[in-house]
Amino acid sequence: MKQQHEVEQFLYRQADLLDSKRWQDWIDLFAPDGVYWMPADPSHKHWDGVPSIFAEDRNLMNVRMKRVLHPDAWSQRPLWGTNHVVSNVVVQKSSPKGEIEVRSRFHMMELRRDDVRHFAGSYTHHLKKTKDGYRIKLQRVDMTNAQAAYDYVLQVWV
Amino acid sequence: MQPDRVHRSVYADPAIFELEMERIFGRAWLILGHESQIAAPGDYFTTRMGREPVIVARQGDGSVRVLINRCMHRGAIVCAEGRGHASSFVCPYHGWTYDTDGRLRSVPVPSGYASDKTGELGLRRVLQVSTYRGFIFASRAAAGANLEEFLGPAKSSLDDLVDRAPGGELEVAGGVFKHVYHGNWKLMLENHLDGIHPAHVHASSIAVARGAPEPGASGKESYRDIAIRQMRQNAMPEPVWEAIGLWTTARGHGYMGDYHDDSRLVAAMGNPAFQEYRARLAARQGEAEADRILGVTLWNTILYPNCSFMSQFRQLRIVQPLAVDRTVVYTYSLRMKDAPPQMFRDTVAFANVVNGTASWVLTDDLEVYERVQRGLSSGAAEWVYIARGAGRDIDEQDGTRRGATGTSEVYIRAQFRAWLDYMNGR
C-alpha cells in the first residue's frame, strides 16, 4: 500500500509539473540516463532506430525546454496551457532493488489560442528508487491516437 | 494572378479550392506512395487523389492497380483500413465483393437483378498508373503527358534519392507521421524552398541549437547531434542562402541545390558508419560513380502539387488537401537497403526533430501557415506579394528556370505558372 501511494504521488507530481510549466523540475525527475519516449506506432518496442513522436534523453529535453522558453517560439505565443489527469495506476513489476514498472492512464486537455484539444493514452514508467525519491528511467507514452492525423502538432511533453 | 502578385482568394476561396480538386488534383500525376508499402500480391494501402478515395493494390502479376474506393452499388467506401493484405474487398453495406483487381466477384441474392451486370460494375480504375524508381504515381487525366515528361528535370532529384542506396533500393520503414494544419495546401509547398524564412520562423530552435553542447567529433556523434547541426544550418548567413541554386520546371516542380554536403551535416566524411556506407556504395557502383552520387548536393525538392522530399535524410512528405483551409501531411522515412543500420538511425533522428509530430522545427512552420491563412481570410488587403527576384529569373538549357539568387521566390512563381496552366485546362 505504501509503495502504491508513493508511486501515485510521484505520477501526480510529474503531471502537475508539466501543467505548471516547471520544465526544469520536470526534467529533474529523470535519471541521468532517463529517456522520454512517445512511439509513433504502438508495436514499437524500443525507441532506438524507429521514428518516434518523441525520443529524448535529458540533453534533448533541455534543448526542447529552452526552445519553448525562447521569446520567438511563435507556436508558443498564443495562449497555451494543459491540464492532465492521471489514473488507473497499476504497479506491474517491483524488484527488491527498488526498480519498478508501473502502468497508468492519462487524459490531457490542451488550450491553444481559442482551441481545445484532448489527448488520452497510457503511461508506462520504469522508475528507480533513489535517496531523493523515484527517478524515471523510461517514460513511455502511448497516445490512443498515435496513428491518427494530429490536428496541429505537440510542442511539449505529455 | 499577376507576374509579381497573387490574389488572396486562391488561398481562401472554397469555390477555387473545388476547381483545384477537379483541374489540378483530378489531372496531375500525384505521388501515392512507394512500392515497398505493397511488396506482395494482395498487399494494399488506401489514400486519396484530391477528393477521390483510392486503393493502391499489388496484383497477382506484380503490377500496381489504383482503384476508386467506392462501392458501385450505393457508394460506400469499401475499404476503411489504411493498409493491409486482402484477397477481396467487401462492401460493408450489402456485401458486394470485389477482387483486388477491382472486378465484381459477387453480390448477394443475384436473382434480384433483371440482368447480370457484374461484368461492368467493377470498382472504377485510375487508368494512368506508373512508377519511377520505386515511387508510385497516378493521374486521373484521360490522356496527357506521361510520368517522365511530367517529372521533367525534377527526375534528377528522385534519381539522387534512390542512387544513394548502395543497391539502388529504398523502403518505407518505421511508420508514418501524420499531421493536419489549418491552412491551404499550397502554403507548405511554398515554404520548403524558402531561404529567408528559417532565420525568422525558426529563430527559437536556432538560438537553442547555438547554445547546445557541441556535436561530437566524427565517429563520436550522439543521437542529438543531427538535430543540433540541422537547426544551426537554418541560421546560415544571408550570403550563403543567396548563393544556393533554386531550379523550377514548367510543371511547377522545384529543387534546391548546394545547401549542404554530407560533411556539413551529420554523416561527416570521417564518420566510420558513413565510411562503411560509402564503401558499400562503391562496391556496388564503382569508386567514380560513388563519388558522383555523393557529390550531388540537392536538398528539398517539391513535386507539384502533392509532394516534398529530400535525399540526404530520405524524408518524403505527401500533402493531401482536405478543404481550402485544412491540409493533412503524411511524412515517411525511407531506409536504404544494404546500408549500415546507423544510416537509418540518422534518418530517424532527423525525422523526429525536424519533421515529426512533436518536432521543434515543424511546429513553428505550422504556426505561420495558420497565421497566413487567418490573414488571407480577411479582405482588407487583396494581394500576396511574390516578387523577390522577379524579372531576374534565368532560363537554363535543360528547360529549368533558375532563381537569380537562392532567396528568389522563383519557385512560387513557377508553382503559380503551373497552377494557371492546370486551371485553364492546359
Side-chain angles (χ1 to χ4, degrees):
Chain A
M1 281 308 287
K2 179 164 172 279
Q3 184 190 52
Q4 175 77 20
H5 179 74
E6 282 175 1
V7 168
E8 284 176 0
Q9 291 299 310
F10 181 82
L11 295 180
Y12 300 160
R13 177 168 154 74
Q14 182 270 144
D16 188 52
L17 290 175
L18 287 176
D19 291 336
S20 5
K21 303 185 183 179
R22 290 167 60 190
W23 312 123
Q24 187 62 59
D25 292 343
W26 180 82
I27 291 172
D28 288 341
L29 295 180
F30 282 77
D33 59 348
V35 169
Y36 178 89
W37 182 36
M38 186 186 290
D41 184 314
S43 70
H44 291 166
K45 301 279 183 244
H46 194 273
W47 65 273
D48 188 19
V50 289
S52 301
I53 300 172
F54 290 79
E56 298 183 357
D57 60 11
R58 286 187 59 137
N59 275 307
L60 279 172
M61 291 177 205
N62 267 311
V63 176
R64 180 180 296 275
M65 172 180 73
K66 288 178 183 162
R67 192 201 81 79
V68 165
L69 294 172
H70 193 276
D72 292 345
W74 307 114
S75 49
Q76 282 281 311
R77 293 304 296 276
L79 194 59
W80 184 87
T82 61
N83 190 75
H84 285 74
V85 175
V86 179
S87 183
N88 307 17
V89 180
V90 179
V91 175
Q92 308 276 60
K93 287 180 198 159
S94 179
S95 84
K97 289 195 300 186
E99 294 187 5
I100 64 174
E101 183 181 326
V102 55
R103 290 255 298 164
S104 58
R105 296 273 163 178
F106 65 86
H107 178 245
M108 181 188 87
M109 170 269 197
E110 180 209 58
L111 174 71
R112 178 168 174 264
R113 207 177 282 123
D114 295 324
D115 296 325
V116 168
R117 295 192 295 178
H118 291 275
F119 295 95
S122 68
Y123 283 141
T124 306
H125 280 92
H126 292 209
L127 304 176
K128 184 172 174 48
K129 192 148 199 182
T130 72
K131 62 179 170 41
D132 302 318
Y134 287 112
R135 287 294 175 265
I136 302 168
K137 303 274 284 183
L138 174 71
Q139 176 160 340
R140 175 179 171 140
V141 184
D142 282 281
M143 292 286 234
T144 305
N145 63 333
Q147 294 192 287
Y150 279 69
D151 195 332
Y152 195 62
V153 289
L154 297 164
Q155 302 184 63
V156 182
W157 312 278
V158 173
Chain B
M1 184 166 308
Q2 296 175 358
D4 63 349
R5 59 184 197 169
V6 178
H7 195 264
R8 67 173 186 87
S9 57
V10 305
Y11 299 93
D13 183 342
I16 290 179
F17 177 82
E18 291 305 323
L19 271 182
E20 289 176 340
M21 290 305 97
E22 176 192 326
R23 296 187 183 176
I24 302 178
F25 286 81
R27 288 181 48 220
W29 283 96
L30 303 175
I31 192 166
L32 303 184
H34 189 264
E35 291 202 73
S36 61
Q37 293 170 277
I38 45 171
D43 286 356
Y44 70 87
F45 64 86
T46 58
T47 181
R48 286 159 47 117
M49 296 179 67
R51 285 250 183 260
E52 293 297 338
V54 296
I55 304 169
V56 183
R58 179 73 71 180
Q59 304 297 299
D61 65 0
S63 64
V64 174
R65 202 167 265 210
V66 180
L67 306 166
I68 301 293
N69 188 4
R70 172 218 187 272
C71 184
M72 294 303 288
H73 176 215
R74 301 263 287 270
I77 299 284
V78 294
C79 180
E81 300 293 327
R83 64 196 156 109
H85 180 90
S87 56
S88 62
F89 298 112
V90 182
C91 179
Y93 198 174
H94 301 91
W96 284 39
T97 300
Y98 302 89
D99 288 326
T100 56
D101 65 3
R103 264 181 300 199
L104 181 59
R105 186 191 293 174
S106 65
V107 301
V109 203
S111 60
Y113 291 104
S115 62
D116 179 10
K117 292 210 166 203
T118 53
E120 52 199 270
L121 287 174
L123 295 175
R124 288 285 171 265
R125 279 174 68 186
V126 176
L127 294 176
Q128 298 223 68
V129 179
S130 193
T131 60
Y132 185 77
R133 304 204 65 178
F135 293 97
I136 303 166
F137 292 78
S139 159
R140 286 171 52 228
N146 67 33
L147 176 59
E148 296 212 13
E149 289 164 351
F150 165 82
L151 292 171
K155 262 193 317 191
S156 64
S157 289
L158 281 170
D159 289 336
D160 176 42
L161 179 64
V162 182
D163 284 346
R164 284 172 175 264
E169 258 192 281
L170 297 171
E171 61 182 353
V172 169
V176 53
F177 293 132
K178 304 170 197 166
H179 70 81
V180 170
Y181 66 86
H182 292 240
N184 190 266
W185 60 276
K186 296 187 282 295
L187 294 174
M188 185 187 108
L189 302 180
E190 292 169 5
N191 184 55
H192 287 185
L193 301 178
D194 183 321
I196 296 283
H197 89 282
H200 304 278
V201 171
H202 303 305
S204 63
S205 56
I206 289 168
V208 67
R210 283 179 169 156
E214 276 305 304
S218 196
K220 300 209 164 53
E221 294 100 336
S222 70
Y223 167 77
R224 68 176 178 280
D225 290 349
I226 293 167
I228 303 301
R229 285 197 165 106
Q230 172 57 33
M231 292 186 292
R232 289 183 181 179
Q233 181 85 350
N234 275 337
M236 291 190 304
E238 281 167 10
V240 180
W241 283 111
E242 284 284 275
I244 280 171
L246 274 181
W247 292 269
T248 66
T249 81
R251 271 310 186 195
H253 313 319
Y255 45 95
M256 178 187 274
D258 316 322
Y259 176 60
H260 81 93
D261 56 50
D262 290 291
S263 59
R264 241 190 278 174
L265 265 172
V266 63
M269 288 301 182
N271 177 295
F274 192 83
Q275 288 298 344
E276 189 196 335
Y277 155 67
R278 195 203 164 281
R280 289 195 201 183
L281 187 65
R284 301 290 282 260
Q285 308 291 341
E287 291 288 336
E289 180 65 359
D291 282 342
R292 185 198 66 76
I293 289 168
L294 296 176
V296 176
T297 57
L298 292 171
W299 188 247
N300 285 348
T301 292
I302 301 295
L303 295 181
Y304 194 78
N306 82 325
C307 180
S308 167
F309 68 91
M310 52 96 85
S311 52
Q312 305 278 347
F313 290 102
R314 296 161 289 281
Q315 301 284 291
L316 178 83
R317 289 185 267 187
I318 296 181
V319 185
Q320 292 185 13
L322 298 175
V324 68
D325 59 354
R326 231 172 124 72
T327 305
V328 63
V329 182
Y330 289 65
T331 301
Y332 299 92
S333 292
L334 299 163
R335 175 158 54 201
M336 298 187 285
K337 287 191 179 172
D338 304 328
Q342 184 58 40
M343 296 300 288
F344 188 64
R345 284 210 190 90
D346 291 349
T347 292
V348 165
F350 185 90
N352 289 353
V353 167
V354 179
N355 294 335
T357 315
S359 98
W360 315 328
V361 179
L362 174 70
T363 179
D364 286 322
D365 284 318
L366 299 189
E367 167 72 18
V368 166
Y369 303 162
E370 296 186 5
R371 289 193 192 191
V372 169
Q373 192 70 31
R374 282 192 294 152
L376 295 181
S377 63
S378 134
E382 295 288 333
W383 295 92
V384 174
Y385 195 49
I386 55 168
R388 184 180 280 276
R392 296 193 290 144
D393 300 340
I394 302 154
D395 286 328
E396 305 249 59
Q397 294 280 329
D398 62 358
T400 56
R401 181 171 289 177
R402 180 177 183 164
T405 73
T407 59
S408 170
E409 284 166 342
V410 61
Y411 54 93
I412 306 183
R413 292 188 290 276
Q415 288 174 18
F416 275 112
R417 189 168 42 140
W419 186 91
L420 203 57
D421 281 344
Y422 280 117
M423 295 297 266
N424 284 319
R426 291 195 294 266

